[in-house]
Structures are given as C-alpha cells and as structure tokens.
Amino acid sequence: MILYNKLEGNKKKLRTFRTEAIRAGFKRAYKEKDLEIIVKVGDWIPEKVVQEDDKLFMFYENANIRLGLLTTNNELYR
C-alpha cells in the first residue's frame, strides 16, 4: 500500500486521487485481511466519495464492522 506509506501521519483529506486505484487497494487489503489500512485510507477520502461509490462503501463499512468500530445496526453516513 504505497498510498498508505506516503500518507501516514497526514491528517488532511485527499483531494486528488483515482477512485479505481483506491478501490483496487481496498480490494487487495480486504483480501489480505488488512482492515486497518482500509479504515485509515477511507478516513482520508472525502466522505461524499465513499458514500457515492458502492464498492468503496462496502469495503469501508465491512472493515469497520469487522474491527468492531461499527455495529451491524448502525450504518456509516446513511
């Protein structure tokens, strides 16, 4: 996760990025069960982008649920 290594310690939201690249990174991290990276990178992305992209939202929400940061009764951003 090159993006994660570059952004570690950065508190600002990402402004310029390719959604396809984020989606591919989330898919890879989910496959490798690296859920913390999905949550951290998801926090750097503007909320509107995660809300509007079904796949990003699914990976981000599932990672939060599996890490215990969100219960299944709650929904992120909805």
Side-chain angles (χ1 to χ4, degrees):
M1 301 293 296
I2 296 169
L3 174 67
Y4 177 75
N5 293 335
K6 287 183 179 182
L7 293 175
E8 195 168 23
N10 187 2
K11 301 290 182 193
K12 294 182 180 181
K13 296 273 186 193
L14 290 175
R15 290 187 181 178
T16 306
F17 57 90
R18 291 183 51 203
T19 305
E20 309 87 46
I22 301 292
R23 199 178 302 130
F26 277 17
K27 183 176 180 179
R28 180 177 173 189
Y30 198 82
K31 184 177 179 181
E32 295 174 1
K33 300 191 185 329
D34 201 351
L35 305 175
E36 293 86 8
I37 288 183
I38 294 173
V39 172
K40 288 179 182 179
V41 172
D43 290 341
W44 286 320
I45 299 171
E47 292 176 15
K48 186 176 181 179
V49 174
V50 176
Q51 291 173 1
E52 293 176 354
D53 189 294
D54 293 336
K55 291 184 181 183
L56 289 180
F57 183 78
M58 179 206 58
F59 285 122
Y60 186 67
E61 186 175 51
N62 286 340
N64 276 290
I65 290 169
R66 289 180 178 241
L67 290 173
L69 302 174
L70 183 71
T71 63
T72 55
N73 295 334
N74 298 335
E75 290 187 45
L76 288 173
Y77 307 124
R78 290 188 184 180

